[in-house]
Amino acid sequence: MHFTKYNGLGNDFIFLTGATALAVKDPAPLARRLCDRYTGIGADGLVLLLPSQVADIRMRIINSDGSEAEMCGNASRCVPLHLAQTGQSGKQHVTLETLAGIIDTEIIDVQKNLVRVNMGAAKQIAPLTVQVEEKKFEGMAVSMGNPHFVILVDNVESFPVEKWGPLLETHPAFAHKTNVEFVQVLDKNTVRMRVWERGAGITRACGTGSCATAVACITQGLTTSSITVKLDGGELHIAWQDKKEIFMTGPAQKVFEGEIEL
């Protein structure tokens, strides 16, 4: 089986395309096997690129635990670069069909592998309080086509994400589980965020999570409408200037390609 591995700020994915992707009938066990960092290739998720009737290509995201995500911002930045580098598309603008809707992407700097993604509109923005064991978390629930719970903390570097992330992800308050963002506001233009991703655990970056973070901070008047989100893997620029569509800009990178025997 031929594969290509990409990452967006350290959030890494195994890409399957063409006949290989079409042949995958049950992606959950395949994702668990390929994404295993000890016995497989190792990744946060499996990306299947398939034909689409409504966009340039259809993108399915299977998390490392085998669950399917509606959308992934970092993978969305990787897709147009993959299509361009493999000669499947010569377009700078590429549309992606996802479970969260049609996503517009644009390669804005070929040399720096920089891609801007129109992430669409945030939905279901609401304050939420969740009790976990002895601790009460007050945050903002935000949907970017997938669910997020954004929580402000005083010091994100020392915050025990690995303890509270999985408990919040699976809390009964979230019918379909949730991604959890722990955020420290550094100034009006900059925030630091660490993430526990639904179905993947701690990752080095989350595109939809960065957008949800920006929405939560802007809604509460904590930042301007165009901010830098500092992640474990690097920085994303998020703009929500008209409080309608959210634009995410950041790099993506091909890591390697190869064959794996199944």
Side-chain angles (χ1 to χ4, degrees):
M1 173 180 284
H2 186 80
F3 70 89
T4 310
K5 185 170 178 180
Y6 282 83
N7 86 84
L9 297 181
N11 193 193
D12 54 348
F13 309 96
I14 299 161
F15 276 40
L16 301 181
T17 62
T20 303
L22 285 169
V24 176
K25 303 305 179 186
D26 187 3
L30 180 63
R32 288 192 290 267
R33 180 171 179 181
L34 295 183
C35 292
D36 190 289
R37 296 191 184 276
Y38 298 98
T39 60
I41 300 165
D44 293 321
L46 172 67
V47 176
L48 302 178
L49 296 182
L50 301 159
S52 172
Q53 300 297 317
V54 294
D56 291 314
I57 201 158
R58 181 161 71 99
M59 177 179 73
R60 290 188 68 187
I61 307 292
I62 314 299
N63 294 318
S64 58
D65 71 348
S67 60
E68 185 162 4
E70 297 90 346
M71 166 57 182
C72 178
N74 286 322
S76 296
R77 295 201 313 281
C78 298
V79 173
L81 292 176
H82 175 72
L83 296 180
Q85 291 170 0
T86 56
Q88 297 180 60
S89 172
K91 302 193 301 182
Q92 283 186 292
H93 291 265
V94 174
T95 56
L96 314 178
E97 178 189 353
T98 75
L99 292 178
I102 305 298
I103 303 298
D104 294 308
T105 71
E106 180 186 6
I107 302 173
I108 60 175
D109 191 322
V110 175
Q111 299 301 318
K112 295 181 179 179
N113 288 337
L114 206 59
V115 179
R116 179 169 56 211
V117 182
N118 182 343
M119 299 289 286
K123 302 174 183 177
Q124 301 167 1
I125 307 165
L128 181 65
T129 300
V130 176
Q131 181 81 34
V132 181
E133 296 181 352
E134 76 282 3
K135 193 171 180 63
K136 183 180 292 185
F137 290 92
E138 296 182 354
M140 294 284 289
V142 180
S143 173
M144 290 299 308
N146 57 353
H148 296 269
F149 185 40
V150 183
I151 301 165
L152 297 177
V153 299
D154 293 330
N155 188 333
V156 74
E157 305 299 342
S158 62
F159 191 85
V161 174
E162 67 284 351
K163 175 182 179 180
W164 299 110
L167 296 176
L168 288 164
E169 174 196 0
T170 57
H171 193 278
F174 306 105
H176 304 288
K177 301 185 180 181
T178 190
N179 301 281
V180 190
E181 287 76 34
F182 301 93
V183 180
Q184 180 180 351
V185 177
L186 302 180
D187 56 49
K188 280 287 188 179
N189 302 301
T190 316
V191 303
R192 171 75 171 100
M193 186 266 275
R194 296 176 65 200
V195 63
W196 179 274
E197 286 202 53
R198 180 185 59 165
I202 293 175
T203 62
R204 294 181 57 79
C206 179
T208 55
S210 295
C211 293
T213 292
V215 167
C217 292
I218 295 166
T219 298
Q220 297 175 82
L222 302 173
T223 65
T224 62
S225 59
S226 183
I227 68 171
T228 296
V229 180
K230 292 181 175 291
L231 304 150
D232 288 348
E235 298 181 353
L236 286 174
H237 182 262
I238 310 295
W240 193 38
Q241 294 177 322
D242 58 2
K243 292 194 174 181
K244 292 181 181 178
E245 296 176 324
I246 303 170
F247 289 86
M248 173 192 66
T249 304
Q253 182 182 34
K254 177 182 175 182
V255 184
F256 59 86
E257 61 183 304
E259 302 283 336
I260 186 169
E261 293 184 7
L262 298 177

